[in-house]
């Protein structure tokens, strides 16, 4: 450590100012694969440095990579160890593509269900989000790749994302929106990316309080702070607030060149990129070039700030061995990565309802229905898009697993993917060619789907949404005619199973008409195999909801002032009461509560005891004749707080996952997070009120099986 500091210090003294300025501003990647690129300084042995998107897979331009399940699916496993493993796999793939830093994980809280990027985030619960943030960071960095926690902070909607001001009070920031970032810092994250939005009136790249004072000061973050792409607004403000690296550093036209190689078309020239909602202005770059030199000459930015920026960046390069030229080759598309992508997809699948129709019998005749059954749902649109080497569609997965007859009917028109990239006039997509896209012989019809359902033993209907970065969903309904398709099939079929693939909660108005319902998120390349393994019972559906499912009007941020905001401001007036905390406080019934998810097994809980102030112990018995996976959840119910201070009814404090063979009983210890007992007091910081706290232990936030009191003094 001391050696690294000396070494980086010596380098900083040896660099000229020109060289330092080049290290804090991105440039075009000569190889054209990176999302962000920093040229090195050859004479001093500082290597060039590549940053690449993103949380679901490595998005090196024009190249393939393993397409992992979306972050929300990962979080639905409730098992941070899988986050560690996914992070490590992403890092190995990044190295195989010659990349040095990953622009992942995305750790923003799921505040509004409409947010187009919820699939890239973990949860509405700060503890769950924090555990997964730490897991991914540890996984990535254990492989000597730099992780980037993004987008700091309160980037909770895509609507007007480049401009919206999040008006949020200090306690809410501390208890809800900051914990996942803090956990990433505690896990040693090398980089934090600032968000596009403002918080309490200040653009995040200029936010002295949140960047310099809280992130770097209070939390002791020693890595570098990178801007989001075209996310800088000023030179002096950003430099003095603690921003260390401008990305991508050059205007979009310099990075990609005009789309057709013949110069922009008239239409492209007319397109006012900056005026498109959610699209950053790609002409705004170079704040850290000459303008930074001038600001230092003027005395507006202290010269040692530039040294600090460089020190922070080089410190990370040193930490992962890049200054020693230590780069192993990594690995991509290995059997291990493919298996992991499938395992996470299985474990993240949430069985919301099951009247006993599942698991399917091997020999059942199955109608596989749905507009997109011929293609895997890889993810949402935007910077996290990944092109896999191979992928399995639901139709393929079901056909290869089924022993009975499989008939396929699309039913209604295909739901088309949406992508941020389709809205960027100057960006040419360099994804590898799509292979094997099926041509359809005829138009789909609901009649055809009904006929298939009538002649089968069971109908499995696959439905999905389509979400993207830079755009929120208009509503929580399934798009197109999919609700009508489900209703018709459910009326005709003897038994109907619905599998939803979505980037967040959706409304399921037909749920009482179907025999089983699963939420499988965006499962990535293993889609078909993973869902077939769950439906046929080869694997227990391991997932639990990391977000509450409810009707749109029942969520807390329904008033326009809260979301999407009025006159450019979204007021976080619900405060602490995000997600299940709102439903609990308002006494409102969600459709499916936070933490919910069935297993094919059936569990009995014994009485919980507190082994010490931070651990509760409970015996869990598997009553079923098959192995099952249980997610034991502990929530803390605080005693009444001093006058005028609100506390949620319950807060997630700990989770333990176990695999239990048929008939087995195990004692499970759930570690409780200290902050679940505490509240943030703007004057005193984190405080724990004395008194008796009730720890609820159970299967979801609304399915408490046993409780135990824990005293605090
Ligand atoms: C996104 C970031 C991403 C960056 C680079 C931005 O539009 O908000 O998450 O890492 O682009 O692709």
């Amino acid at each position: 450590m001391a050696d690294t500091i000396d070494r980086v210090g010596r380098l900083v003294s040896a660099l000229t100012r020109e060289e330092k300025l080049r290290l804090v501003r991105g440039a075009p990647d000569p190889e054209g694969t990176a999302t962000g690129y920093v040229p090195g300084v050859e004479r001093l042995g500082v290597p060039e440095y590549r940053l690449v998107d993103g949380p679901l897979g490595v998005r090196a331009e024009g190249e393939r990579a393993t397409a992992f399940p979306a972050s929300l699916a990962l979080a639905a496993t409730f098992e941070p160890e899988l986050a560690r493993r996914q992070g490590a796999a992403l890092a190995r793939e990044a190295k195989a593509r010659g990349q040095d830093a990953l622009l992942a994980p995305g750790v923003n809280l799921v505040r509004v269900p409409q947010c187009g990027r919820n699939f890239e985030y973990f949860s509405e619960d700060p503890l769950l989000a924090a555990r997964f943030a730490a897991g991914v960071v540890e996984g990535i960095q254990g492989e000597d790749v730099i992780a980037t926690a993004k987008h700091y902070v309160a980037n909770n909607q895509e609507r007007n994302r480049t401009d919206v001001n999040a008006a949020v009070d200090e306690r809410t920031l501390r208890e809800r929106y900051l914990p996942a970032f803090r956990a990433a810092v505690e896990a040693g994250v090398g980089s934090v990316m600032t968000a596009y939005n403002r918080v309490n009136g200040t653009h995040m790249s200029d936010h002295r309080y949140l960047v310099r004072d809280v992130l770097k000061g209070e939390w002791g973050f020693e890595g570098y702070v990178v801007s989001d792409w075209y996310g800088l607004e000023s030179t002096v403000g950003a430099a003095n607030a603690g921003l260390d690296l401008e990305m991508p550093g050059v205007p979009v036209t310099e990075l990609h060149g005009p789309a057709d190689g013949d110069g922009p078309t008239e239409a492209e020239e007319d397109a006012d990129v900056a005026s498109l909602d959610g699209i950053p202005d790609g002409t705004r770059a170079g704040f850290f070039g000459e303008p930074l030199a001038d600001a230092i000459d003027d005395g507006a930015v202290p010269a040692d700030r530039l040294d600090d920026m460089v020190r922070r960046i080089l410190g990370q390069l040193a930490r992962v061995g890049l200054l020693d030229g230590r780069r192993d080759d990594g690995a991509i598309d290995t059997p291990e990565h493919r298996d992991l992508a499938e395992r996470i997809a299985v474990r993240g699948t949430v069985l919301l309802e099951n009247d006993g129709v599942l698991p399917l019998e091997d020999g059942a005749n199955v109608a596989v229905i749905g507009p997109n059954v011929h293609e895997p749902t890889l993810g949402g649109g935007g910077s996290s898009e990944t092109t896999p080497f191979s992928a399995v569609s639901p139709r393929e997965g079901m056909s290869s697993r089924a022993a009975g007859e499989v008939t396929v009917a699309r039913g209604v028109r295909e739901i088309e993917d949406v992508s941020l990239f389709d809205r960027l006039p100057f960006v040419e997509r360099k994804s590898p060619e799509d292979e094997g896209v099926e041509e359809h012989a005829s138009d789909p019809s609901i009649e055809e789907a009904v006929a298939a359902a009538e002649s089968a033993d069971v109908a499995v209907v696959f439905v999905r949404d389509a979400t993207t970065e830079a755009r929120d969903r208009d509503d929580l309904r399934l798009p197109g005619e999919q609700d009508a398709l489900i209703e018709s099939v459910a009326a005709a079929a003897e038994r109907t199973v619905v599998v939803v693939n979505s980037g967040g909660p959706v409304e399921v108005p037909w749920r009482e008409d179907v025999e089983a319902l699963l939420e499988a998120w965006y499962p990535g390349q293993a889609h078909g195999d993973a869902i077939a393994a769950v439906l046929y019972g080869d694997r227990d559906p391991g997932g639990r909801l990391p977000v509450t499912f409810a009707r749109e009007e029942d969520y807390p941020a329904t008033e326009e002032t809260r979301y999407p905001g009025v006159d450019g401001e979204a007021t976080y007036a619900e405060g602490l009461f995000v997600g299940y905390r709102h439903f609990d406080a308002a006494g409102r019934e969600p459709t499916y509560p936070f933490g919910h998810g069935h297993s094919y097994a059936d569990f009995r809980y014994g009485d919980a005891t507190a082994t010490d102030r931070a651990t509760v112990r409970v015996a869990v018995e598997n009553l079923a004749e098959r192995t099952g996976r249980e997610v034991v959840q502990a929530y803390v119910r605080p005693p009444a707080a001093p006058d005028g201070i609100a506390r949620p009814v319950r807060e997630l404090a700990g989770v333990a996952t176990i695999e239990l063979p048929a008939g087995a009983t195990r004692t499970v210890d759930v570690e409780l997070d200290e902050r679940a007992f505490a509240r943030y007091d703007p004057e005193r910081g984190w405080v724990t009120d004395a008194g008796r706290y009730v720890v609820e232990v159970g299967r979801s936030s609304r399915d408490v099986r046993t409780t135990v009191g824990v005293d605090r003094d």
Side-chain angles (χ1 to χ4, degrees):
M1 181 71 183
D3 283 358
T4 308
I5 295 174
D6 288 353
R7 180 172 183 197
V8 168
R10 280 196 302 275
L11 269 177
V12 173
S13 330
L15 287 161
T16 66
R17 190 165 85 161
E18 278 309 302
E19 288 166 339
K20 290 177 193 165
L21 286 165
R22 273 211 306 277
L23 287 173
V24 300
R25 176 185 173 197
D29 174 9
E31 284 183 12
T33 60
T35 312
Y37 174 82
V38 182
V41 179
E42 222 181 321
R43 74 177 183 96
L44 294 172
V46 176
E48 58 182 354
Y49 171 50
R50 291 188 166 79
L51 302 83
V52 74
D53 281 313
L56 280 59
V58 173
R59 192 176 62 89
E61 291 277 355
E63 314 248 33
R64 296 175 192 275
T66 303
F68 286 95
S71 309
L72 196 57
L74 176 61
T77 67
F78 273 58
E79 197 174 322
E81 176 53 27
L82 290 175
R84 217 159 279 127
R85 292 175 58 188
Q86 179 163 322
L90 285 172
R92 286 191 290 271
E93 300 216 340
K95 285 189 282 191
R97 291 292 182 230
Q99 311 291 324
D100 310 302
L102 269 159
L103 303 172
V107 310
N108 294 101
L109 204 73
V110 175
R111 172 181 181 246
V112 291
Q114 299 88 342
C115 176
R117 283 188 104 168
N118 282 342
F119 72 94
E120 288 188 65
Y121 304 143
F122 297 121
S123 179
E124 67 189 25
D125 181 81
L127 177 83
L128 197 64
R131 297 239 168 126
F132 277 79
V136 173
V137 166
E138 284 163 14
I140 292 174
Q141 299 202 155
E143 286 286 335
D144 283 347
V145 168
I146 296 162
T148 311
K150 67 188 188 182
H151 315 82
Y152 187 69
V153 60
N155 183 175
N156 304 112
Q157 65 188 64
E158 293 300 286
R159 187 111 170 244
N160 193 18
R161 69 167 169 169
T162 53
D163 206 45
V164 68
N165 178 38
V168 48
D169 67 83
E170 181 75 13
R171 181 176 172 205
T172 300
L173 265 177
R174 297 282 183 162
E175 291 193 24
R176 296 293 166 268
Y177 300 99
L178 291 174
F181 289 96
R182 180 173 178 160
V185 171
E186 284 169 358
V189 76
S191 174
V192 171
M193 185 192 291
T194 52
Y196 287 128
N197 51 278
R198 291 163 214 282
V199 173
N200 296 328
T202 305
H203 195 257
M204 272 314 301
S205 60
D206 284 348
H207 217 297
R208 272 186 193 227
Y209 172 61
L210 287 170
V211 176
R212 190 191 66 179
D213 300 348
V214 174
L215 173 69
K216 290 184 168 176
E218 245 178 77
W219 300 347
F221 171 64
E222 285 174 357
Y224 63 85
V225 175
V226 60
S227 72
D228 200 345
W229 268 233
Y230 304 108
L232 275 196
E233 284 210 330
S234 77
T235 299
V236 174
N240 288 338
L243 204 293
D244 301 305
L245 175 60
E246 176 185 8
M247 273 295 159
V250 290
V252 70
T253 41
E254 235 177 273
L255 276 188
H256 299 273
D260 54 8
D262 296 329
T265 62
E266 224 171 281
E268 283 168 344
E269 277 189 332
D270 285 350
D272 179 3
V273 184
S275 72
L276 296 173
D277 184 16
I279 310 289
D281 179 352
T283 63
R284 290 168 64 91
F287 289 92
F288 273 18
E290 273 313 299
L292 182 56
D294 294 346
I296 293 171
D297 289 340
D298 293 350
V301 173
D304 59 8
R305 187 68 261 282
L306 177 61
D307 287 353
D308 180 47
M309 293 173 188
V310 173
R311 197 175 300 115
R312 285 169 175 275
I313 295 166
L314 295 183
Q316 291 307 310
L317 300 195
R319 192 177 55 78
V320 299
L322 280 169
L323 292 185
D324 302 311
R326 212 176 64 215
R327 268 187 228 237
D328 70 54
D329 293 340
I332 199 153
D333 188 38
T334 58
E336 189 202 343
H337 292 184
R338 280 180 243 142
D339 288 352
L340 181 64
E342 183 176 335
R343 169 181 289 253
I344 295 170
V346 166
R347 291 249 169 114
T349 300
V350 186
L351 181 59
L352 295 170
E353 302 267 6
N354 185 17
D355 293 359
V357 55
L358 295 179
L360 297 176
E361 279 164 27
D362 281 359
N365 294 331
V366 183
V368 173
I369 296 170
N372 295 65
V373 289
H374 55 286
E375 59 177 12
T377 309
L378 296 175
S383 56
S384 65
E385 284 172 40
T386 310
T387 312
F389 288 86
S390 64
V392 182
S393 70
R395 184 181 57 72
E396 290 164 337
M398 292 297 286
S399 302
S400 55
R401 176 61 183 80
E405 205 181 302
V406 173
T407 46
V408 179
R410 287 183 293 141
V412 294
R413 269 195 324 276
E414 195 170 333
I415 305 304
E416 291 194 12
D417 286 328
V418 288
S419 175
L420 151 72
F421 295 124
D422 296 335
R423 296 163 64 210
L424 294 178
F426 292 103
V427 177
E428 184 188 11
R429 299 183 79 166
K430 282 200 269 172
S431 309
E433 285 293 297
D434 264 348
E435 286 154 15
V437 175
E438 292 175 36
E439 293 292 328
H440 299 296
S442 59
D443 283 341
S445 74
I446 291 191
E447 290 70 42
E448 168 207 22
V450 164
E454 273 171 344
S455 56
D457 298 320
V458 55
V460 182
V461 189
F462 289 86
V463 289
R464 55 165 286 188
D465 70 358
T467 64
T468 179
E469 173 182 343
R471 190 183 196 148
D472 287 343
R473 283 192 283 170
D474 295 333
D475 55 50
L476 302 189
R477 291 186 47 245
L478 286 168
E481 310 301 313
Q482 298 182 103
D483 282 337
L485 172 66
I486 295 169
E487 275 157 20
S488 305
V489 169
E494 208 177 304
R495 290 172 298 170
T496 304
V497 176
V498 176
V499 180
V500 178
N501 291 114
S502 67
V506 290
E507 291 184 339
V508 287
W510 30 257
R511 69 185 176 114
E512 286 179 359
D513 305 330
V514 302
E515 278 65 43
L517 170 59
L518 298 102
E519 171 59 65
W521 320 106
Y522 297 156
Q525 66 179 42
H527 189 170
D529 286 339
I531 197 66
V534 170
L535 292 173
Y536 282 94
D538 305 335
R539 308 284 299 275
D540 201 26
R544 304 292 184 266
L545 288 182
V547 287
T548 302
F549 272 46
R551 292 179 315 168
E552 186 170 347
E553 62 268 28
D554 288 339
Y555 285 94
T558 42
E559 287 156 42
E560 214 186 335
T561 50
R562 297 185 185 186
Y563 170 79
V566 172
D567 295 334
E569 179 157 302
T571 310
Y572 285 34
E574 73 285 355
L576 306 171
F577 298 93
V578 179
Y580 65 89
R581 290 168 170 86
H582 159 76
F583 289 87
D584 288 346
R588 226 172 257 181
E589 275 306 303
T591 314
Y592 297 109
F594 177 86
H596 171 73
H598 296 291
S599 159
Y600 289 144
D602 191 13
F603 303 99
R604 181 160 60 205
Y605 283 58
D607 293 335
T609 53
T611 57
D612 56 46
R613 287 158 56 96
T615 315
V616 292
R617 176 167 290 173
V618 66
V620 180
E621 181 184 1
N622 180 358
L623 302 172
E625 281 169 14
R626 54 177 299 141
T627 297
R629 179 176 187 268
E630 180 61 325
V631 177
V632 180
Q633 304 166 39
Y635 297 83
V636 165
R637 287 182 84 113
D643 266 1
I645 293 174
R647 296 276 324 240
V649 174
R650 60 173 66 77
E651 313 212 50
L652 183 68
V655 174
T657 53
I658 40 159
E659 187 123 332
L660 267 184
T665 302
R666 292 265 162 80
T667 301
V668 180
D669 282 340
V670 188
E671 310 272 334
L672 305 176
D673 190 89
E674 187 49 40
R675 291 229 174 82
F677 292 84
R679 60 182 171 84
Y680 188 84
D681 181 306
E683 254 93 69
R684 295 154 62 207
W686 288 95
V687 291
T688 302
D689 297 315
R692 167 146 282 222
Y693 291 73
V694 176
V695 181
E696 300 178 336
V697 181
R699 303 202 69 250
S700 83
S701 61
R702 292 276 176 113
D703 185 357
V704 177
R705 297 294 176 95
T706 172
T707 62
V708 58
V710 173
D711 292 318
R712 290 292 151 127
D713 38 42

